[in-house]
Amino acid sequence: QVQLEESGGGLVQAGGSLRLSCAASGRTFSSSAMGWFRQAPGKEREFVAAISWSGRNAYYADSVKGRFTISRDNAKNAVYLQMNSLKPEDTAVYYCAADTAIHYSVLRTSPNEYGYWGQGTQVTVSS
C-alpha cells in the first residue's frame, strides 16, 4: 500500500550537511509512523530516527541526537532527514521506512516493525 523512494545522498566533508528526502505514495501514508535507518558495509541495519504519524513526536538514536532532524509533510507525502555536523562514521546507505502499525502510540526502532522500505541512498562523509 506504500511505496517509498529516497533521494539527496551524496559525498560531503566532515562537518557538512545533507538533507535526505523520501517520496511516498499510498493512501495510508499519513497514518503511519516513518523511520530512517542506515546500514554500513559489514554491519547490521540500524535505527536512526522516527517520526509519528501526526509529525508531533520524534525519536532519535543517541549517535545522531542533536545533529539530525526528522520531519514530514503529509500534504506532500514526504519525509525528510536533515543531517548536520556529519561525521565519517555516518557513512552508510540510508533507508526510509514505514511502520506497519496505523496511528500507533510508540515510535519503534526495530527494522522488523517496518514493512515498507525504499531502495536507499548513499551518504559518504570524508574526513
Side-chain angles (χ1 to χ4, degrees):
Q1 293 182 342
V2 178
Q3 294 182 335
L4 307 172
E5 183 176 359
E6 305 93 337
S7 63
L11 175 65
V12 64
Q13 292 185 340
S17 298
L18 285 173
R19 189 177 82 154
L20 305 183
S21 298
C22 178
S25 62
R27 65 183 182 87
T28 63
F29 168 78
S30 62
S31 298
S32 301
M34 300 292 296
W36 284 97
F37 294 79
R38 66 188 183 187
Q39 187 167 19
K43 295 185 178 181
E44 298 290 327
R45 188 167 298 187
E46 68 172 344
F47 170 79
V48 176
I51 188 167
S52 64
W53 64 270
S54 66
R56 294 188 180 97
N57 302 103
Y59 183 74
Y60 300 89
D62 288 342
S63 59
V64 306
K65 191 172 185 178
R67 299 188 297 120
F68 291 9
T69 302
I70 187 172
S71 61
R72 69 190 298 164
D73 187 340
N74 289 345
K76 296 181 179 180
N77 281 1
V79 182
Y80 308 98
L81 185 68
Q82 178 66 47
M83 305 184 294
N84 299 325
S85 301
L86 283 163
K87 305 175 181 179
E89 49 264 44
D90 294 319
T91 296
V93 176
Y94 283 70
Y95 301 88
C96 67
D99 198 311
T100 55
I102 305 298
H103 292 173
Y104 197 52
S105 61
V106 177
L107 294 176
R108 302 191 283 190
T109 61
S110 172
N112 296 331
E113 304 296 341
Y114 291 75
Y116 303 95
W117 295 84
Q119 294 183 340
T121 184
Q122 177 71 47
V123 172
T124 302
V125 184
S126 62
S127 60

